[in-house]
Amino acid sequence: MNSKDVEVFLMVTQTRSLTQAARRLNTTPMTVSRRLASLEEDLGVRLLHRTTRAIALTDEGEEFLPYAKTLMETEQSARNLFSPDKQGATGQLRITAPSGFGRRTIIPLLPALMAENPELKIDFQLSDNVTDIVGLGYDVAIRIAPLRDSRLVAQRLADNPRVLCASPDYLARFGTPQLLADLHQHNCLRLSGVPQWSFMVDDHISSVSVEGRFSGSNVEGVRTLCVAGSGIAQLSAWDVQQELAAGELIEIGLRDAQPQLLGVWALFPTARHLPTRVTVFLNALKQAMAR
């Protein structure tokens, strides 16, 4: 499809006006209208509802929008590749990541990343839910949970074992569990919708149902209560590494089970060439985790 047609479509979605789009693109409203018609004919669908008073995206237009943005950003990245005055990564980098990992590990990277790449824009969304990264137009999704079968492309960034832990105060009051069965005698702090904890037993994954007086929708709530001495939690190593290092939490080793080894993964919508903005971000993230 014609990149100029796509550029016009994006400008119209921003301005919601053929006249305003034409003014910003230094062309005429008639040319804008013709390019929109050309794009719709090329795709075989109607992208916009156009009246004398308003312009709105059709359902097909909503679906096409993230792909249109990717098309234009990819073209710009290709041009920048051979530009004599290019300055690092450019375009908009769209990232989604779990809330706990995102706040502690990714957000601290972003100021330096933007300072080193003046033409880079970042749209960062924190979500503990499974996200449709293709449909929503994300460049990369960071995941720390076991991956389900998917058409997405995955790249392992680092190890991330699950850790069973509690505060020194809790263990002093209630004792330290030695076996998996001992967990039934303790107050287990868990994430909502995760009634079972997984361990490695004799080289197989074993899931154990746990009970407790608290469950929370995010890692921060579980970790906060764990540090406060309210119970035992099972979280990933990246979620509690600071508390373990400070002695606020103590890792619990069981004699008949080992922590399940997870990973930190980057997921991409396609296996084709990754934009420079994505590789720059991933390199910064890998360096931070290595430290």
Side-chain angles (χ1 to χ4, degrees):
M1 65 189 70
N2 190 307
S3 63
K4 291 294 184 183
D5 295 348
V6 177
E7 180 185 19
V8 165
F9 167 73
L10 289 175
M11 187 59 69
V12 172
T13 62
Q14 291 176 24
T15 62
R16 290 296 196 270
S17 166
L18 298 185
T19 302
Q20 290 294 330
R23 185 175 293 116
R24 293 192 185 185
L25 294 172
N26 195 28
T27 186
T28 66
M30 183 172 291
T31 299
V32 168
S33 181
R34 287 174 177 171
R35 286 202 174 277
L36 287 175
S38 173
L39 180 60
E40 290 175 332
E41 183 179 355
D42 194 14
L43 292 173
V45 296
R46 190 171 184 82
L47 300 173
L48 297 164
H49 294 300
R50 299 191 283 278
T51 69
T52 56
R53 293 186 176 182
I55 291 178
L57 285 166
T58 63
D59 290 342
E60 292 79 8
E62 291 280 3
E63 291 184 28
F64 178 63
L65 183 58
Y67 294 96
K69 292 178 179 178
T70 300
L71 284 169
M72 297 311 299
E73 290 168 4
T74 301
E75 178 180 332
Q76 187 59 50
S77 295
R79 294 182 185 279
N80 291 336
L81 188 63
F82 303 104
S83 173
D85 57 349
K86 67 172 183 175
Q87 297 183 357
T90 62
Q92 184 175 62
L93 172 65
R94 302 200 68 222
I95 313 165
T96 178
S99 58
F101 184 82
R103 288 190 179 97
R104 286 198 160 189
T105 308
I106 296 179
I107 287 179
L109 303 176
L110 302 186
L113 192 65
M114 290 188 291
E116 294 167 2
N117 300 272
E119 299 300 318
L120 179 66
K121 298 178 181 179
I122 296 177
D123 177 9
F124 183 38
Q125 301 295 323
L126 296 171
S127 175
D128 292 314
N129 299 320
V130 176
T131 303
D132 177 11
I133 72 171
V134 175
L136 296 176
Y138 286 105
D139 293 298
V140 58
I142 303 300
R143 293 286 179 264
I144 61 175
L147 298 181
R148 300 185 178 94
D149 291 338
S150 172
R151 295 180 182 179
L152 301 176
V153 180
Q155 179 185 133
R156 191 184 185 99
L157 303 179
D159 291 335
N160 187 31
R162 283 190 167 130
V163 174
L164 193 65
C165 57
S167 71
D169 176 65
Y170 178 88
L171 296 178
R173 286 185 291 135
F174 299 101
T176 302
Q178 303 295 319
L179 304 172
L180 272 179
D182 295 342
L183 293 179
H184 297 300
Q185 309 302 320
H186 287 268
N187 187 39
C188 296
L189 311 169
R190 60 181 181 82
L191 292 169
S192 303
V194 186
Q196 295 182 324
W197 288 351
S198 297
F199 298 87
M200 295 300 298
V201 179
D202 297 329
D203 297 325
H204 298 286
I205 297 176
S206 178
S207 296
V208 178
S209 296
V210 294
E211 297 291 338
R213 296 172 56 201
F214 175 83
S215 63
S217 62
N218 57 60
V219 167
E220 286 90 341
V222 173
R223 183 177 57 224
T224 298
L225 266 73
C226 193
V227 170
S230 298
I232 293 176
Q234 188 193 59
L235 297 170
S236 71
W238 284 98
D239 288 325
V240 293
Q241 61 176 348
Q242 296 179 17
E243 288 73 19
L244 291 173
E248 297 176 313
L249 292 177
I250 294 176
E251 183 173 358
I252 299 169
L254 301 175
R255 295 203 302 264
D256 59 346
Q258 300 295 322
Q260 182 185 9
L261 184 61
L262 304 178
V264 179
W265 295 85
L267 302 182
F268 315 105
T270 176
R272 295 180 180 178
H273 173 70
L274 291 176
T276 302
R277 62 181 180 275
V278 176
T279 57
V280 165
F281 163 68
L282 290 180
N283 288 338
L285 180 56
K286 291 176 184 177
Q287 292 173 10
M289 289 191 294
R291 292 194 296 268

